[in-house]
Amino acid sequence: GATIVGYGFSTALTGFIMSLDNMAALFILPYIGALSDRTRTRIGRRKPFILVGAPLAALAFIGIPLLAGAPLPLFMAAVFGTLLTMDFFRTPLIALMPDLTPSPLRSQANGVINLMGGLGAVLAFLIGGRLFDYAPWASFAFGALLMLAACATVLIFVREPVAPEAADGEVGLLAALRGVARDPDRSAIALLAAIFCWFLAYSA
């Protein structure tokens, strides 16, 4: 069986480290999403982020089990590297769905995405779990390879629609949030609050 190497962290500290992804996402994901919206390249707005972020995330992710037992700063570098590189391309990748899908079909498209996520979770449990029993690095490598295969499929076979020209006075993230807060229609705030509560409950 696999040999598990730890650092003697308390349960509270372990939980804090595992929540770093969500805390980093508060600051990184909105910025990257807004940057992706403004990006104009020959291959599209979203693909450059996937092309750069996915390989780096795969390398950092595999580094987590390989550096387990190494000096703590090296291990944490792999953890932080994984979080940062995943956040670098996660929002642009998710944004491809509304980019490609007509508005009336987006609920169905989101359902398909959730279905595929469920299938991925089943694969991770059935195959990744057995690989972990063999060697922890094997399960991480399996996850990294699946992620690279999925991102390569998007890069090769998905054609981004032509994006509108970026406007000089394009609304920034903070300005957009201020607009939502000042809007007399409180539907957007209610929706954001519902999403916040949903993710809070899910994470808990």
Side-chain angles (χ1 to χ4, degrees):
T3 300
I4 309 300
V5 179
Y7 290 93
F9 292 159
S10 66
T11 302
L13 183 55
T14 300
F16 172 76
I17 292 173
M18 294 189 67
S19 69
L20 289 174
D21 180 33
N22 294 325
M23 288 187 281
L26 288 174
F27 303 98
I28 298 174
L29 296 187
Y31 172 77
I32 294 295
L35 180 61
S36 175
D37 287 341
R38 297 193 301 268
T39 297
R40 298 295 184 275
T41 71
R42 184 172 55 84
I43 61 174
R45 292 187 290 175
R46 319 301 184 188
K47 288 185 177 181
F49 294 87
I50 301 171
L51 187 62
V52 173
L56 293 177
L59 288 174
F61 187 60
I62 295 175
I64 292 176
L66 296 180
L67 291 173
L72 183 58
L74 291 177
F75 176 74
M76 292 307 300
V79 173
F80 282 121
T82 300
L83 299 181
L84 293 176
T85 52
M86 290 287 287
D87 285 345
F88 183 76
F89 75 95
R90 183 163 61 179
T91 300
L93 181 61
I94 293 173
L96 272 177
M97 188 276 280
D99 284 350
L100 297 168
T101 308
S103 182
L105 300 177
R106 285 177 187 167
S107 293
Q108 297 179 42
N110 191 59
V112 173
I113 288 174
N114 289 329
L115 172 63
M116 298 306 292
L119 291 176
V122 171
L123 281 176
F125 176 75
L126 294 179
I127 300 177
R130 292 189 177 185
L131 288 174
F132 188 89
D133 290 336
Y134 167 71
W137 67 265
S139 62
F140 281 75
F142 173 70
L145 289 175
L146 281 184
M147 180 185 69
L148 288 176
C151 290
T153 300
V154 170
L155 291 171
I156 296 171
F157 296 106
V158 174
R159 183 175 180 181
E160 286 193 44
V162 177
E165 290 297 323
D168 292 334
E170 197 166 2
V171 177
L173 175 64
L174 294 178
L177 291 175
R178 284 195 295 268
V180 169
R182 295 170 181 170
D183 192 341
D185 183 355
R186 315 308 287 175
S187 299
I189 290 180
L191 178 60
L192 290 174
I195 294 172
F196 170 79
C197 293
W198 170 35
F199 275 96
L200 178 64
Y202 180 81
S203 297

